[in-house]
Amino acid sequence: MSTFDTFLTEANALLGPRGLTRDTDLTAPWTTDWRGRFHGACLALASPADTAQLSALVKLCAAHGVTLVPQGGNSGMSGGATPSPEGNQLLVSLRRMNTMGAIDVAEQRVTCGAGVVLQSLHEAAEAQGLRFPLTLGGKGSATVGGLISTNAGGTQVLRHGSMRAMVLGIEAVLASGEVYSALTPLRKDNRGFDLKQLFIGAEGTLGIVTAAALQLAPAIGERVVIWAAAPSLGAARQLLHRCEEALPGAVEGFEVLPQPCLDHVLEYLPEARAPLATRAPWHVLIEAVAPRDAPAGSGTALRDQCEAALASALEKGVIADATIAANEAQAEAFWTLRESVSPAERAQGPAVQHDISVPVADMPRFIETVSPQLEAEWPGTRAVAFGHLGDGNVHFHMIAPKGVDAATWYAGEAKAISARVHDLVTQWNGSISAEHGIGQLKRDELARLADPVALGLLRAVKSALDPQGLLNPGKLMN
């Protein structure tokens, strides 16, 4: 009997038929990443029911030298939860670990398992007059564990920060099978390193997150959603400053997209309508909110403040036109335009996507400088940048020339373009991964471009916590 056969026999005895399967019909949907770029195979799919089972399973893996790949909703963007093609890795699903504790309304927090789906968390918080202020397109499949392991961002980072800012405590299973438990959300704790931070954004390479204590926020009482037309990205940034000054603490989302991007969305969504008749180089989507428990009349005041800020921006030439959503349906229609950018761009043909950030103050100049530079270096390509201007994170896509063979282009020019984009981002003191993680997609680029001292620290921590290299090998770092 081979080592793998012995391991599988023992794992099956531990987890039972519901917790372990080798049926390829059941494993196949989970061995390809969401974007369809990475295709793997697995020794088996394990679905432990709780932390104790996972701890015992990891100890079993360590004893037999079986590597494992943790996975949440399989909605990641960088192939970080996809096993290798060799089929010798154990795929470990956290989806059964989806228990949610009672919400502490007074403290505005909740403790939940790693398998809790983001949309379920939203609904549970809303039922208690609260909310979890992180949302993204894959909220129906993304899990708490995956969001933590990738330090997910989204459209509300400007006000609330990324996932890291909302994690009050963590429980994780280490490569040894030991359980690190720090779920008590202490406001002050100076007992050395803040160890929970090691597991946030580590993509399952240092430990497997099993539960977390999360910070919630008051429910929204009033919401004002604005669509504005700006003559330049620099002007859009001026508008952001004006809104933050006029609406202190209220601006929650500030998204930008160029006119060609909006045109692609309107082509992709035949029933959609442009919010403004005005065509402009850049369009801006702004969301401002007031909490449900705000003083009486503050909702009207918020809208009045927004109108005043827009009138001032129009008068100064910062924007060319603007409109405020008349109701929730129109507000959602505005957001649908923004959220449809990625599928609309995919419909345009082959493209290479980059999730980048540079210092916020430099973002307008970066895009205005780099876009024509890259289009000149690769004639026929089109640069499209859109996203979260307020936090310096923009999705920078290069669309292939019309009529190219997709497979040939991806294998050749696309790789060269990505390397060039990452070089330029690094020159501008930015990051090649703002919110999607490194995974296997950008692993080699991180090794090529990262500060050697920082890379050495990453590897030293990995070696200390996972000396056998059992946890998610081939991801994040070589």
Side-chain angles (χ1 to χ4, degrees), residues 166-200:
M166 299 174 216
V167 176
L168 303 175
I170 270 182
E171 177 186 84
V173 173
L174 306 182
S176 62
E178 296 173 292
V179 178
Y180 170 72
S181 184
L183 287 172
T184 304
L186 299 175
R187 291 186 180 274
K188 299 179 78 173
D189 182 7
N190 275 343
R191 294 174 291 178
F193 307 137
D194 187 359
L195 293 172
K196 70 176 182 293
Q197 297 294 337
L198 285 174
F199 305 99
I200 303 173

Side-chain angles (χ1 to χ4, degrees), residues 221-450:
E222 297 292 336
R223 178 187 187 211
V224 178
V225 178
I226 300 163
W227 192 281
S232 68
L233 203 53
R237 185 163 179 268
Q238 289 181 46
L239 179 62
L240 170 62
H241 290 162
R242 285 174 171 270
C243 288
E244 289 180 323
E245 291 173 4
L247 311 164
V251 180
E252 188 154 292
F254 195 94
E255 303 286 303
V256 295
L257 63 157
Q259 183 67 52
C261 210
L262 177 58
D263 292 339
H264 294 162
V265 172
L266 295 174
E267 180 182 337
Y268 179 73
L269 300 174
E271 301 301 318
R273 296 290 179 269
L276 299 170
T278 304
R279 293 180 64 82
W282 288 91
H283 292 265
V284 184
L285 175 59
I286 307 166
E287 177 158 327
V289 301
R292 185 176 293 175
D293 57 357
S298 62
T300 301
L302 177 63
R303 187 179 181 92
D304 290 345
Q305 290 168 352
C306 289
E307 289 176 348
L310 293 174
S312 174
L314 279 165
E315 182 182 350
K316 298 295 184 180
V318 175
I319 56 176
D321 199 359
T323 186
I324 296 177
N327 49 47
E328 281 297 303
Q330 192 171 46
E332 288 303 312
F334 287 2
W335 274 106
T336 296
L337 294 175
R338 163 63 184 89
E339 291 167 354
S340 299
V341 170
S342 288
E345 292 300 329
R346 282 198 295 270
Q348 290 294 309
V352 58
Q353 297 88 14
H354 308 93
D355 162 46
I356 62 170
S357 64
V358 298
V360 177
D362 293 336
M363 181 57 78
R365 195 160 54 91
F366 172 82
I367 291 174
E368 290 165 358
T369 302
V370 167
S371 296
Q373 182 177 343
L374 291 169
E375 289 175 344
E377 292 178 14
W378 281 275
T381 60
R382 290 169 289 156
V384 175
F386 64 94
H388 327 301
L389 179 64
D391 56 34
N393 170 203
V394 168
H395 304 295
F396 192 92
H397 295 186
M398 291 294 291
I399 301 175
K402 293 287 186 183
V404 300
D405 176 73
T408 303
W409 189 76
Y410 278 126
E413 282 195 352
K415 289 186 175 181
I417 290 171
S418 284
R420 180 67 170 135
V421 169
H422 293 157
D423 286 342
L424 292 168
V425 168
T426 302
Q427 290 170 21
W428 284 70
N429 298 311
S431 169
I432 66 171
S433 180
E435 63 179 0
H436 292 166
I438 296 296
Q440 50 188 310
L441 177 66
K442 299 179 183 179
R443 179 195 60 207
D444 294 341
E445 284 293 84
L446 180 69
R448 183 173 72 88
L449 295 169

Side-chain angles (χ1 to χ4, degrees), residues 54-60 62-63 173-180 206-207 465-468 470-471:
L54 177 60
S55 171
L57 177 65
V58 173
K59 289 177 181 178
L60 196 59
V173 173
L174 306 182
S176 62
E178 296 173 292
V179 178
Y180 170 72
L206 303 181
L465 293 186
D466 183 16
Q468 288 182 261
L470 297 176
L471 300 179

Side-chain angles (χ1 to χ4, degrees), residues 88-104:
N88 57 3
Q89 296 178 332
L90 182 68
L91 186 58
V92 180
S93 167
L94 281 296
R95 289 180 289 277
R96 285 181 69 195
M97 300 174 64
N98 60 356
T99 56
M100 192 182 308
I103 291 176
D104 187 330

